[in-house]
């Protein structure tokens, strides 16, 4: 077969034709290749966005679970405290009180949200949802406006920052409610498809938010929205590799997790928790748990000593174990002197209620209402005190108000049933005497009030033990000895240890006839213990004294009493 002709120094005709054909085909395929590449890129970005949505959803669930577990565990007292200091009422008057100025309606929304903290587990889940919501809303807003996701996960920062802030009970729930509400409104606007309509809706929505929340919350919300958006617009586009994107996500998560853990540990207020936890147990009558909280406090605090001494009485340990706890504040560890301290107003009524001194308990409850408002605990206390003081009309005023709440309505109805009888289980007022002259309570010193209570009711064991403790803590051994005869109204198996120690100290300072008139004997064991104590005292061995006799009245009188180491005889 004859072959194809060739050209000297040139390629064959068939080769030329093949080369020409390939060149023409390549030129024609270039636009198609670009289209395929664009489709591949778009598919890559779509897959990346789907993956980021999955990560965002996973983080939202994880965030909620983390907050819920923390609120069920170390932060359990936070929702309780806020619920006890807010009360939402379903009345027109209550709504009208929040409509007088811009920003006040947010308080109405906050109280509405807080009322659900009353439910033990559901309330904590609701609080966890409120704390995790800013992240989810911010992520959705960012994607709606930019069609991109923030690889640095900056939307996590507000929720984590708020978690740390809520470790303090003084941080208002108003902040999370205001932020969530503003984010919800802006998320609704961002969901509108038309950009022009978004702009049209933005201005009136912001004006409405100003009226509801004030100006600060919309401004902060817009800043919180803007930061992840800028990151998504100017950073995300430069990181296209899936491995690098995932690495950026993981690095950001590690930074946030490490920072949150550090600040959580650093900011956690164990002492604040123990005080609130002790009060929870006190309300439930769990006295051993109250003492356990006070024991774990490990520092001197008047409120802790006050709660601990109440628990000591109810466990029957006050006459024997009063000095197991360093009573360095003297008589002020038994009660809270009136010092116009707003924080103490909600605790002062406990001792007077249990002593049966209802008028003084009522005064403290009313002062607490003046400071903290018409909260459920304050209203319930005022209802109870007015019932046993036979003032049904005053009690009914507070009952009507409490009936308009969601979770306290039944309790108000139960209290209403006792209006006619004027009696309540577990609450007893001192006997009322119409002929008795008007008497004003001593708000600075509980001593005279305890003497008055013992005079009015000689069977009031709590008043007696507190009177004895008051006299011992104030170094008034002479008055202690004179009042010790009141013990015969009660069935103590033997003279309590610290009473016998104080009585022996009193005997050392009087003649035998004076002591014998009291009608009490000192056991040989107490005399031997004093000899051992005195021997160490003469050697000035303070460490050995504290170890062996730190829980005795002798050690308190010599080393701890804030009134000096001398017996007060007047």
């Amino acid at each position: 077969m004859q072959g194809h002709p060739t050209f000297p120094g040139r390629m064959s005709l068939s080769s030329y034709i093949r080369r020409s054909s390939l060149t023409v085909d390549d030129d024609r395929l270039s636009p198609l290749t670009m289209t395929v590449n664009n489709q591949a890129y778009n598919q890559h970005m779509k897959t990346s966005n789907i993956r980021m949505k999955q990560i965002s959803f996973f983080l939202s669930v994880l965030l909620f679970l983390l907050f819920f577990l923390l609120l069920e565990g170390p932060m359990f007292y936070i929702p309780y405290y806020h619920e006890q200091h807010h009360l939402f009422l379903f009345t027109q008057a209550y709504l009208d009180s929040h409509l007088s100025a811009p920003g006040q309606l947010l308080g109405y929304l906050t109280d509405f949200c807080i009322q659900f903290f009353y439910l033990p587990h559901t309330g904590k889940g609701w609080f966890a949802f409120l704390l995790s919501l800013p992240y989810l809303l911010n992520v959705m807003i960012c994607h709606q406006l930019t069609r991109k996701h923030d690889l640095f996960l900056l939307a996590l920062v507000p929720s984590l920052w708020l978690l740390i802030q809520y470790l303090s009970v003084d941080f208002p729930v108003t902040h999370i409610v205001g932020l969530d509400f503003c984010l919800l409104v802006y998320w609704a606007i961002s969901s509108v498809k038309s950009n022009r309509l978004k702009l049209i809706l933005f201005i009136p929505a912001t004006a409405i938010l100003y009226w509801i929340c004030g100006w600060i919350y919309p401004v902060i919300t817009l800043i919180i929205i803007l930061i992840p958006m800028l990151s998504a617009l100017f950073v995300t586009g430069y990181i296209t590799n899936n491995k690098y994107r995932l690495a950026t996500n993981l690095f950001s998560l590690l930074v946030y997790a490490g920072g949150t853990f550090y600040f959580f540990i650093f900011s956690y207020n164990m002492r604040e928790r123990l005080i609130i936890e002790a009060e929870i147990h006190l309300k439930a009558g769990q006295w051993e748990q109250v003492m356990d909280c006070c024991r774990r406090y490990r520092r001197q605090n008047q409120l802790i000593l006050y709660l601990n001494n109440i628990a000591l009485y109810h466990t029957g340990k006050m006459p024997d174990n009063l000095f197991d706890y360093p009573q360095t504040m003297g008589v002020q560890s038994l009660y809270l002197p009136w010092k116009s301290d707003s924080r103490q107003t909600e605790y002062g009524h406990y001792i007077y209620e249990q002593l049966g001194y209802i008028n003084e308990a009522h005064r403290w409850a009313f002062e607490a209402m003046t400071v903290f408002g018409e909260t459920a605990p304050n209203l319930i206390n005022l209802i109870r005190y007015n019932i046993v003081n036979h003032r049904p009309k005053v009690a009914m005023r507070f009952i009507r108000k409490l009936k308009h709440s969601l979770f306290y309505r039944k309790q108000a109805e139960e209290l209403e049933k006792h209006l006619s009888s004027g009696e309540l289980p577990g609450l007893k007022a001192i006997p009322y005497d119409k002929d008795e002259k008007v008497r004003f309570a001593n708000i600075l010193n509980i001593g005279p009030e305890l003497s008055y209570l013992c005079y009015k009711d000689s069977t009031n064991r709590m008043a007696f033990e507190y009177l004895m403790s008051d006299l011992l803590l104030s170094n008034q051994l002479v008055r202690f000895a004179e009042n010790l005869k009141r013990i015969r109204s009660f069935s103590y198996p033997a003279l309590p240890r610290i009473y016998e120690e104080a009585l022996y100290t009193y005997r050392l300072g009087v003649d035998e006839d004076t002591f014998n008139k009291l009608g009490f004997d000192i056991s040989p064991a107490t005399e031997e213990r004093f000899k051992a104590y005195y021997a160490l005292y003469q050697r000035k061995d303070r460490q050995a004294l504290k170890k062996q006799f730190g829980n005795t009245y002798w050690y308190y009188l010599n080393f701890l009493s804030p009134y000096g180491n001398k017996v007060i005889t007047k």
Side-chain angles (χ1 to χ4, degrees):
M1 180 180 294
Q2 185 178 1
H4 293 290
T6 58
F7 299 90
R10 299 181 182 181
M11 67 179 67
S12 66
L13 179 60
S14 60
S15 299
Y16 174 77
I17 292 172
R18 285 198 301 270
R19 175 65 183 271
S20 299
S21 299
L22 287 172
T23 303
V24 171
D25 289 345
D26 284 347
D27 292 337
R28 290 176 181 175
L29 287 172
S30 293
L32 180 60
T33 303
M34 292 177 63
T35 301
V36 171
N37 289 338
N38 286 335
Q39 289 178 347
Y41 175 78
N42 290 335
Q43 183 63 34
H44 169 76
M45 294 305 297
K46 184 178 180 180
T47 303
S48 179
N49 283 332
I50 292 173
R51 187 179 292 110
M52 286 300 300
K53 285 182 179 179
Q54 293 172 341
I55 291 174
S56 299
F57 177 76
F58 171 76
L59 287 177
S60 298
V61 174
L62 185 64
L63 208 60
F64 170 79
L65 291 175
L66 172 65
F67 292 162
F68 179 71
L69 291 175
L70 288 173
L71 290 167
E72 283 283 355
M75 296 176 66
F76 75 93
Y77 62 96
I78 302 293
Y80 165 83
Y81 181 88
H82 287 295
E83 191 277 330
Q84 292 286 285
H85 290 81
H86 293 80
L87 181 66
F88 184 84
L89 300 176
F90 290 88
T91 63
Q92 185 63 42
Y94 186 72
L95 175 60
D96 292 342
S97 67
H98 291 84
L99 296 176
S100 58
Q104 289 194 356
L105 195 55
L106 180 58
Y108 185 84
L109 296 175
T110 301
D111 289 347
F112 179 83
C113 292
I114 288 177
Q115 70 178 327
F116 297 103
F117 294 175
Y118 175 87
L119 303 171
H121 303 295
T122 306
K124 290 165 186 173
W126 171 237
F127 198 7
F129 174 75
L130 291 175
L131 285 172
S132 58
L133 193 58
Y135 167 71
L136 182 61
L137 291 174
N138 209 352
V139 167
M140 292 192 295
I141 292 171
C142 180
H143 185 257
Q144 290 283 1
L145 297 179
T146 66
R147 297 299 171 185
K148 296 179 180 180
H149 290 275
D150 170 34
L151 297 181
F152 292 105
L153 306 175
L154 293 170
L156 280 171
V157 174
S159 290
L160 296 176
W161 182 81
L162 285 167
L163 171 69
I164 301 303
Q165 299 308 308
Y166 280 114
L167 289 173
S168 170
V169 296
D170 294 323
F171 194 75
V173 179
T174 307
H175 294 335
I176 185 62
V177 175
L179 177 61
D180 281 344
F181 187 76
C182 292
L183 282 170
L184 277 169
V185 172
Y186 288 132
W187 168 74
I189 294 174
S190 70
S191 301
V192 176
K193 292 183 179 180
S194 171
N195 289 332
R196 183 179 179 184
L197 186 56
K198 288 177 184 177
L199 292 173
I200 293 173
L201 292 173
F202 174 77
I203 295 176
T206 303
I208 292 172
L209 287 176
Y210 164 73
W211 174 255
I212 295 174
C213 305
W215 66 269
I216 189 68
Y217 291 101
V219 171
I220 291 176
T221 303
L222 290 174
I223 294 173
I224 289 174
I225 292 172
L226 183 62
I227 293 173
M229 281 180 57
L230 292 175
S231 176
L233 286 171
F234 297 107
V235 178
T236 301
Y238 291 100
I239 306 176
T240 57
N241 187 288
N242 282 336
K243 291 183 179 180
Y244 291 156
R245 287 183 167 226
L246 184 60
T248 303
N249 292 157
L250 291 175
F251 176 76
S252 300
L253 282 175
L254 288 174
V255 171
Y256 299 150
T260 303
F261 179 78
Y262 171 80
F263 285 109
F264 187 93
I265 299 299
F266 180 77
S267 304
Y268 189 75
N269 193 335
M270 177 58 77
R271 293 186 179 89
E272 185 176 73
R273 166 189 165 168
L274 289 173
I275 289 175
I276 297 172
E277 187 177 357
E279 186 189 18
I280 293 173
H281 293 308
L282 183 143
K283 288 181 177 180
Q286 298 168 336
W287 306 112
E288 291 292 345
Q289 289 89 330
V290 173
M291 293 169 63
D292 180 63
C293 291
C294 297
R295 193 178 300 112
R296 287 187 287 141
Y297 194 86
R298 295 180 182 176
R299 279 194 182 181
Q300 291 296 300
N301 178 282
Q302 184 182 14
L303 183 56
I304 281 292
L305 289 172
Y306 166 75
L307 298 176
N308 186 70
N309 286 332
I310 292 176
L312 272 176
Y313 164 75
H314 284 284
T315 54
K317 298 176 181 178
M318 179 171 263
D320 290 296
N321 302 101
L322 178 66
F323 297 108
D324 286 1
Y325 307 87
Q327 305 288 342
T328 54
M329 295 185 178
V331 296
Q332 294 194 15
S333 63
L334 298 175
Y335 70 110
L336 302 177
W338 180 250
K339 298 178 181 178
S340 299
D341 186 333
S342 61
R343 179 67 76 178
Q344 289 186 349
T345 56
E346 57 184 332
Y347 299 103
H349 69 279
Y350 287 122
I351 180 64
Y352 293 105
E353 173 185 323
Q354 293 168 36
L355 284 168
Y357 202 179
I358 302 302
N359 283 340
E360 189 62 10
H362 183 281
R363 183 184 70 81
W364 277 93
F366 201 87
E367 293 289 354
M369 187 178 70
T370 303
V371 175
F372 296 102
E374 293 179 331
T375 64
N378 291 336
L379 291 179
I380 290 170
N381 284 333
L382 289 171
I383 292 169
R384 294 166 63 242
Y385 300 154
N386 281 289
I387 287 175
V388 297
N389 274 338
H390 301 282
R391 291 183 287 199
K393 291 183 179 179
V394 179
M396 194 62 206
R397 175 186 176 275
F398 298 117
I399 288 174
R400 289 194 193 99
K401 190 175 290 289
L402 201 60
K403 277 185 175 181
H404 291 292
S405 65
L406 181 60
F407 297 108
Y408 291 96
R409 180 181 178 85
K410 289 185 179 179
Q411 192 170 353
E413 291 171 348
E414 286 296 319
L415 288 169
E416 188 177 5
K417 296 177 182 178
H418 296 275
L419 286 176
S420 57
S421 66
E423 296 180 356
L424 281 173
L427 193 62
K428 182 182 177 182
I430 57 176
Y432 177 66
D433 185 0
K434 292 182 179 180
D435 298 327
E436 185 179 2
K437 294 181 180 180
V438 175
R439 183 178 183 280
F440 295 96
N442 190 324
I443 61 175
L444 298 177
N445 183 4
I446 198 174
E449 308 311 303
L450 294 170
S451 297
Y452 171 72
L453 291 172
C454 288
Y455 167 76
K456 293 290 291 183
D457 183 6
S458 61
T459 63
N460 190 332
R461 183 165 180 159
M462 186 175 187
F464 167 73
E465 290 192 5
Y466 262 75
L467 175 61
M468 294 294 99
S469 299
D470 175 81
L471 295 173
L472 291 178
L473 290 172
S474 58
N475 298 8
Q476 298 186 69
L477 279 186
V478 175
R479 289 193 57 210
F480 166 80
E482 293 170 352
N483 282 275
L484 189 58
K485 60 186 178 182
R486 299 180 186 272
I487 199 173
R488 295 189 175 96
S489 299
F490 312 99
S491 55
Y492 288 92
L495 194 64
R497 177 179 62 83
I498 63 173
Y499 291 3
E500 194 167 355
E501 292 169 356
L503 193 60
Y504 184 76
T505 307
Y506 170 78
R507 192 180 78 172
L508 296 175
V510 297
D511 58 71
E512 188 174 349
D513 290 338
T514 302
F515 180 78
N516 289 335
K517 289 179 182 178
L518 297 178
F520 294 98
D521 296 321
I522 305 297
S523 66
T526 298
E527 293 183 4
E528 291 299 321
R529 281 192 300 111
F530 181 78
K531 290 177 181 179
Y533 173 86
Y534 192 66
L536 290 174
Y537 181 79
Q538 286 184 313
R539 295 207 304 262
K540 298 182 180 180
D541 192 344
R542 177 78 178 270
Q543 187 174 359
L545 279 170
K546 183 177 181 180
K547 184 177 180 180
Q548 297 181 39
F549 300 98
N551 64 343
T552 64
Y553 180 67
W554 305 317
Y555 186 85
Y556 170 81
L557 184 62
N558 285 134
F559 301 106
L560 298 181
S561 174
Y563 314 105
N565 60 357
K566 303 296 183 182
V567 172
I568 297 175
T569 57
K570 294 182 180 180

